[in-house]
Amino acid sequence: MHPPHLSRRRALAGGAGALAAAGALGSLTGCAAPATAAGPGQTLLRFWHLFGGGDGVNMQGMLEEFRAAHPSIALEATTLQWGAPYYTKLGMAGAGGRAPELAVLHLARLAGFAPGRLLDPFDLGLLAEHGVQEEHFPPDIWRRGQAGGRQYAVPLDTHPFVLYYQTEICEKAGLMSGGSLRPVNGAGEFADALRAVKKATGRPGLVTETFGADCITPWRLFSTFYSQTGGAVLSPDGRRLALDDTKALRVLEYLTSLVEEGLMVRRADYPACVSIFNEGKTAFHLNGEWEITTYRNAKIPFSMTRVPALFGSASAQADCHTFVLPHQAGRGGAPDEAAHAFVAWMLRNSVAWAEGGHVPAYLPVLGTPEYLALKPQSEYRDVIDDVALDEPAWFAGSASRMWIELGAVLSGALTGSRTPRGALDEVKARLRTLLDTRNPLPGAAS
């Protein structure tokens, strides 16, 4: 999903929600590829994305395979800086007529990109010609890509919050069965599992990111468990506050109780929480699934599973990488056809993408022997039916102002500088301010 965590965090901290002036558009490029010249009989296809680190390596391999299989398409792929800089440039490109044929967008950010103004809709007939149709995707994720009855985003994957676990430590604590973590049902059972780890190791059983200048994991943690209660943060249209105080406090008080009892590490920034788990100093780690590459490279005895259902449903906070068509005046012809062909090919070949931990959104891939052979990736694939995306608001989604601002507030509850009630009150105040703020992207509606 992201470049290495340090550069990703700096990208978020450096510009969340802030928009560069139009004159700075060209300076936002991260690792721009040299311009590709289309040869005789070739169609130029320009593609922007934000994948670095392990994801960048996987993407580069897929792009090379596409080029080899499609000699008539001159693919120019450009990697831009992850986070606010990427979305600033993408929005300006759609508004200013300098857009590429195709780009990547996080699904939960679609509402802020003014479909019909900054983005063009897909031609579903063209996708169908390449074997891609609506029934090939989870219904809820497919529908989130729509606006005004047209399809503006085609999902490549979902990248959910997951539970990593150290198999040897869990075995020592009596939490394993048949080589896998025993099912955990309910908040009480999860706390008991952490107590068993602490009894066996003398250390807290759980680590996750709890603080830092640009800390977002506290928001993802809260969003995961709050969604399990059936609560919503915003109204379905993303225009009104809908937080349920009783449900929110139930989650916050539970999480802070884990810290107070010494079952969860109180203070760990992102690099520290990854290191603590990587060094076997705790049994469980809650994070996005993209750290699978880190732990596999370290050759530690670990596995992964869905976040347990602590408060009712088994939902988990997530976002999705999607393909979008940035607005072009007069879009159509061979370049547009090439963009649709590229999207279909990437979906059909997304087993390679799943190696980085992401769950393919193209359902036919999930049942293939090649995907099922990926362990532990395929073992949490059914989470795709239970993902909790942010409601559609311009300030929500990956690298958004909401994640940064609310992550900082909820960090205080986890580290002890705020009470659960105080944190909730501040979360609601921040959300009201965001709801009253106009979308700053050029060409976007309020």
Side-chain angles (χ1 to χ4, degrees):
M1 174 183 175
H2 307 300
H5 39 257
L6 286 177
S7 61
R8 171 169 71 95
R9 298 299 182 178
R10 299 288 78 77
L12 285 169
L19 289 172
L25 182 62
S27 67
L28 292 172
T29 301
C31 302
T36 299
Q42 284 189 312
T43 297
L44 178 63
L45 172 61
R46 296 167 298 171
F47 171 52
W48 287 4
H49 67 86
L50 39 52
F51 300 120
D55 279 354
V57 173
N58 289 342
M59 177 57 64
Q60 184 60 34
M62 295 177 73
L63 297 179
E64 290 173 359
E65 289 185 20
F66 176 85
R67 291 186 179 102
H70 299 80
S72 65
I73 297 176
L75 175 63
E76 178 187 299
T78 302
T79 308
L80 304 176
Q81 185 179 343
W82 198 95
Y86 176 81
Y87 284 116
T88 298
K89 183 164 186 176
L90 183 61
M92 288 181 172
R98 293 169 288 181
E101 283 70 42
L102 187 69
V104 166
L105 182 88
H106 285 97
L107 184 56
R109 295 199 64 136
L110 181 65
F113 270 75
R117 295 187 181 93
L118 302 181
L119 302 175
D120 295 330
F122 279 90
D123 183 329
L124 297 185
L126 268 179
L127 286 177
E129 289 178 15
H130 293 282
V132 173
Q133 301 184 61
E134 176 180 351
E135 58 264 31
H136 294 147
F137 300 87
D140 289 344
I141 291 176
W142 180 260
R143 281 194 294 267
R144 279 295 299 268
Q146 296 175 348
R150 310 193 74 177
Q151 197 72 32
Y152 286 91
V154 174
L156 170 63
D157 64 31
T158 187
H159 40 87
F161 216 50
V162 296
L163 182 68
Y164 298 83
Y165 61 97
Q166 290 268 359
T167 54
E168 292 181 358
I169 295 176
C170 288
E171 184 72 49
K172 183 178 180 181
L175 302 176
M176 300 287 284
S177 176
S180 298
L181 185 69
R182 289 205 314 262
V184 175
N185 298 301
E189 284 193 17
F190 188 59
D192 286 342
L194 298 182
R195 293 184 185 107
V197 169
K198 187 174 184 181
K199 182 178 180 180
T201 67
R203 301 190 183 102
L206 173 66
V207 68
T208 192
E209 178 189 33
T210 60
F211 81 99
D214 48 0
C215 183
I216 61 172
T217 304
W219 162 250
R220 300 193 76 205
L221 182 70
F222 170 78
S223 179
T224 290
F225 292 123
Y226 178 68
S227 73
Q228 293 186 356
T229 71
V233 176
L234 302 174
S235 60
D237 62 5
R239 294 180 178 273
R240 298 180 306 281
L241 186 64
L243 265 174
D244 183 304
D245 282 21
T246 300
K247 293 175 179 178
L249 281 174
R250 181 185 175 200
V251 170
L252 289 173
E253 289 171 353
Y254 175 77
L255 293 174
T256 56
S257 74
L258 297 182
V259 175
E260 293 301 324
E261 194 178 336
L263 303 179
M264 174 176 158
V265 177
R266 181 184 294 274
R267 294 181 62 84
D269 63 9
Y270 194 90
C273 75
V274 171
S275 177
I276 287 169
F277 184 78
N278 201 30
E279 294 172 6
K281 295 179 179 178
T282 190
F284 297 108
H285 176 40
L286 283 165
N287 201 347
E289 31 64 49
W290 53 82
E291 290 297 346
I292 184 174
T293 303
T294 301
Y295 301 139
R296 295 190 81 165
N297 288 343
K299 302 186 185 306
I300 63 173
F302 85 102
S303 191
M304 301 158 67
T305 188
R306 295 180 56 165
V307 175
L310 303 192
F311 296 97
S313 74
S315 58
Q317 190 279 337
D319 208 336
C320 303
H321 296 120
T322 71
F323 295 109
V324 294
L325 304 173
H327 176 63
Q328 291 182 334
R331 173 179 285 279
D336 193 48
E337 292 181 14
H340 285 71
F342 175 85
V343 168
W345 187 92
M346 294 291 281
L347 294 171
R348 293 195 307 271
N349 291 275
S350 54
V351 168
W353 187 241
E355 291 179 4
H358 310 313
V359 182
Y362 187 62
L363 297 178
V365 166
L366 295 184
T368 63
E370 294 80 6
Y371 177 72
L372 294 175
L374 293 179
K375 303 293 183 183
Q377 294 94 321
S378 63
E379 296 178 3
Y380 54 85
R381 65 189 182 279
D382 57 348
V383 73
I384 199 167
D385 295 319
D386 298 303
V387 295
L389 276 69
D390 298 343
E391 289 85 12
W394 73 261
F395 50 79
S398 295
S400 66
R401 285 183 59 178
M402 184 175 79
W403 284 30
I404 297 294
E405 292 192 23
L406 301 193
V409 173
L410 295 168
S411 168
L414 297 175
T415 58
S417 64
R418 295 180 188 267
T419 65
R421 178 77 255 182
L424 178 58
D425 288 344
E426 182 62 19
V427 162
K428 291 164 69 176
R430 297 285 184 101
L431 285 170
R432 290 189 183 100
T433 298
L434 289 170
L435 286 165
D436 290 338
T437 302
R438 183 181 179 85
N439 184 348
L441 275 177
S446 61

